[in-house]
Amino acid sequence: MITKRLKLHEAALTDRIELTVRFSEVDMMKVAWHGSYVAFLEDGREHFGITYPGVGYADYFRTGYVAPVVNLNIDYRQSLRCGDRAIVETRYIYSEGAKLIFEYVVYRKSDMAIMAVAQTTQLFMTAEGEIQYADPDFFVEWKKRWLNK
Amino acid sequence: MITKRLKLHEAALTDRIELTVRFSEVDMMKVAWHGSYVAFLEDGREHFGITYPGVGYADYFRTGYVAPVVNLNIDYRQSLRCGDRAIVETRYIYSEGAKLIFEYVVYRKSDMAIMAVAQTTQLFMTAEGEIQYADPDFFVEWKKRWLNK
Amino acid sequence: MITKRLKLHEAALTDRIELTVRFSEVDMMKVAWHGSYVAFLEDGREHFGITYPGVGYADYFRTGYVAPVVNLNIDYRQSLRCGDRAIVETRYIYSEGAKLIFEYVVYRKSDMAIMAVAQTTQLFMTAEGEIQYADPDFFVEWKKRWLNK
Amino acid sequence: MITKRLKLHEAALTDRIELTVRFSEVDMMKVAWHGSYVAFLEDGREHFGITYPGVGYADYFRTGYVAPVVNLNIDYRQSLRCGDRAIVETRYIYSEGAKLIFEYVVYRKSDMAIMAVAQTTQLFMTAEGEIQYADPDFFVEWKKRWLNK
C-alpha cells in the first residue's frame, strides 16, 4: 500500500473561514476541480494570519522572509459543487523545527460533511533564498505571543 | 517529525511533456505559485493517456466511469520562474488495488534540476458515484495491453 | 483611436458583493492579475442571480438552456493588491434582444475608488447549441417579475 | 444596440502559437471557460515578444517599466473543448500613441474555425506607477527595429 490517509494532529490554534465555490472552480464532472482546493487552503491560511497576526504574507515581506510551501498533501473525501458554501478550518500544528505546519479540514457547510483533509508545510527563507534552520525572530515572537512558548 | 519526503517508486511506464510557465502562474514572489503545479501534473497525466491510450478523461467518459483524484501530494524542491521551460515526467506505478497511481518529477529544462516530486492517487467510480473495488473492464484491458498483466 | 473607454448605461437592477483578493490572483507586479477580474465579475453575476432569482447557472440548467458569454469587455483603471477587499457592483442593463447584458463596477472597498468597469453580453442557447433569437420562457417570466415588462 | 462586434485592424506584425486546452480550463458546460482565454491571449503576447524581442515582461522589468493591460475585449464565437489544439494568432496593431495594441484570433486547429477574436491595450508606466505619454526609449528602439518607424 503506497498512499496513506492523512491523519490530523492536535492543533495548538485553529481558525475558520467560509467561502463559496465559484463556477470557474468547477470542472466537467460538475464538482470543484481538485486543484481549486489549493486556493481554498491558502484562503484559510491567510485568514489564520489575520486572526493570529504575524504569520501572513505581508508579515513575511515586512520582516524580509518568505515562507514557501515545501509540501502539500490533500486527501479528497467528497465533492463540492458550484455555489456550495464551504468552511475551511485551518489548524496550526506545533513543531520543534523552524517550519510552519498547518492542517485543514474542508467542510460542506450545509451538512458539515468533510470534503477534504489537507496538510501544508512551509519553511522560512531569506529573500535571497537561504533556508533558516532556526526560527526567525518574528516567528519566535509569534510563538511567545500565541503559544506561550 | 510529521512530514516525510516523497520517495519515488519503480515506474512500469513513463511519459514526458514540456511546458512553459505562464505569467499568470507566477506569484508575487516571482516564482510559479505552488498551486500552479496541479495543472502541470494534470498536463502530464493527460499526455500519458495519449501515449498509452485508455486512461484519459475521454476514455473514462466513454466507458461510463470517472477517476477522481483522492490524494495529491507534492514536494517542492526549487522554484520555476516565468517563461521557464519545464519537463514533467509522469510515471505509472503499478498497484494491486483498483486505483491509478502516478508519480511525477518536474524538471527545469535548462539544467534538468528537480523542481518538484509528486504523487496522485485516483479511484474509479461510476458516473453515479459508486466506488469500484475491482478494476473496471477498460482498465483490465489497459493493463493487459501495456503491462502484460 | 482604436479603443474607446467603456461607458456605463442606466441599470434596471443592481446588486453588490464583497470579495477579498487572493494571493493566487496576484501577479509578479504585486497587483491582481488582469485575468482574475473575470472570476470577480462572474461572482457578481452569480450573486445577482441569487438576489433576483431566475438568471443563475442553476436556472439555465433547470430550464434546459445555457447562457454563454459572447462578449467580455473590461477597462482597468487602478490596481487591486493582495488582501484588498473589493466591491463588485453588478448592473443589469435592459435590452430588447434575447440577450443578457450586465455592466460592472469594481471598487476598492477602503476608499471606494474605481478599479475597473466592465460589460458582459450573454446569449441564450439550447443545450444542443441552438441560439435563441426570442426570449426563452423563463426569461420572459423573469423580466415580468423583476422589471414589470 | 449596445455591444459591437470586434473588428480586426491591419496588423504590422503577426505571430502564432499552438496550445492544448487543459482539463482545468474547461467548465461544467464542457467547453473552455470564457476566462481561460485571458491566459491564451497572454501566451500569444508573450511569444510575440520572443519572436520580436523587446516587448516581453522581462524587457519591461529590465528597462524599468511595466505595461499593464488597460483594456481587454473578447468576442467569443465558438467553443473549444478539453484537449482541443488551438492556434492563437497575435497581431500587433500600430498606433501613434504610447501604447501597445494587440489583436488576437483564436482558431481551433483541426478545422481552423475561429473560436474568438480579441483585443488588448497596454500603456507604459514606470515602476512607480507614472503613466508615460511618450514612447519610452526601449519602445522607440523596438519600433525602429521591427517597423522601420
Side-chain angles (χ1 to χ4, degrees), chain D residues 123-148:
Chain D
L123 296 183
F124 300 109
M125 296 198 321
T126 60
E128 291 72 35
E130 214 176 318
I131 293 175
Q132 302 299 291
Y133 295 100
D135 285 352
D137 286 351
F138 82 91
F139 193 51
V140 171
E141 286 303 311
W142 184 83
K143 280 179 163 173
K144 209 175 288 174
R145 177 167 177 200
W146 296 110
L147 307 175
N148 294 317

Side-chain angles (χ1 to χ4, degrees), chain D residues 91-111:
Chain D
R91 306 156 52 88
Y92 169 74
I93 308 301
Y94 179 74
S95 154
E96 287 291 335
K99 59 175 75 163
L100 264 176
I101 296 174
F102 288 106
E103 290 177 349
Y104 312 82
V105 183
V106 181
Y107 302 91
R108 178 169 50 211
K109 196 189 172 191
S110 61
D111 62 356

